Amino acid sequence: MNKIVTALAVSLLFFTCKQPSNYEKMELLLHNQFEFDSLRVIDHIVVINELGDCLNCNNSFSVAMSKYIESENVLFIICGTGSRVDISPYYNSTSNHVIWDRRNSFNELNMVGSSAIINLKNQKIDSIIEIKLGTRYNDLLPSLSKNKF
């Protein structure tokens, strides 16, 4: 009888314990490591990193996204040192929405495998657009501009 009760208790705990969503993990990381608490006002997260198969794509993406650096609804997470991807457009920014993740903590969440745009909606991740060879991110820019991006 005790084995049945124990098995039921373990099953109940297993099914009732909610795993944090990727949004919640991201929010916790941004708060704990970067003291960024304004994710609720962010519509887009631009991740610039040195991952993926196409460093030229990451470089082009980095330069193209830099024109949105002063947008209040866009958060930039710059991962890495800039040794493989040009992050120089972000160096002189005074925006509170540029986070320097030199330890690649964000990449440890395993949400993206290359530079990316993470679109948020209602405190959830709506979509992730990873920048890879063949991604036509220039086509995304006009549609994102309509959304204050």
Side-chain angles (χ1 to χ4, degrees):
M1 182 73 171
N2 282 340
K3 290 182 182 181
I4 294 172
V5 171
T6 303
L8 285 172
V10 169
S11 297
L12 183 62
L13 280 174
F14 177 76
F15 289 111
T16 59
C17 289
K18 179 184 164 209
Q19 293 293 321
S21 68
N22 281 340
Y23 180 90
E24 292 166 330
K25 291 177 190 175
M26 184 172 54
E27 189 173 42
L28 190 62
L29 174 84
L30 292 172
H31 171 75
N32 290 341
Q33 291 198 16
F34 305 106
E35 298 178 6
F36 185 84
D37 293 321
S38 303
L39 199 55
R40 294 185 195 283
V41 300
I42 299 299
D43 294 325
H44 311 283
I45 298 175
V46 173
V47 180
I48 308 291
N49 63 33
E50 299 172 339
L51 301 176
D53 296 330
C54 185
L55 289 179
N56 286 335
C57 302
N58 287 344
N59 275 309
S60 298
F61 179 70
S62 176
V63 171
M65 292 295 106
S66 67
K67 69 182 175 183
Y68 300 106
I69 202 164
E70 299 302 324
S71 298
E72 293 185 15
N73 66 330
V74 180
L75 175 67
F76 288 85
I77 301 176
I78 314 297
C79 303
T81 61
S83 62
R84 299 176 67 199
V85 173
D86 180 14
I87 56 174
S88 62
Y90 305 94
Y91 284 137
N92 296 322
S93 172
T94 58
S95 172
N96 295 349
H97 291 179
V98 176
I99 291 178
W100 294 93
D101 182 15
R102 300 201 191 283
R103 288 186 262 159
N104 288 317
S105 301
F106 186 82
N107 291 334
E108 292 175 12
L109 295 177
N110 294 319
M111 292 176 55
V112 298
S114 63
S115 291
I117 299 171
I118 301 172
N119 296 305
L120 306 177
K121 190 174 194 178
N122 300 322
Q123 285 80 48
K124 293 182 180 167
I125 296 173
D126 185 51
S127 62
I128 299 175
I129 303 165
E130 291 197 68
I131 305 307
K132 299 178 180 179
L133 187 60
T135 302
R136 297 178 49 106
Y137 64 87
N138 284 326
D139 292 344
L140 298 172
L141 298 180
S143 64
L144 293 173
S145 296
K146 293 176 196 169
N147 295 319
K148 300 182 287 182
F149 181 62

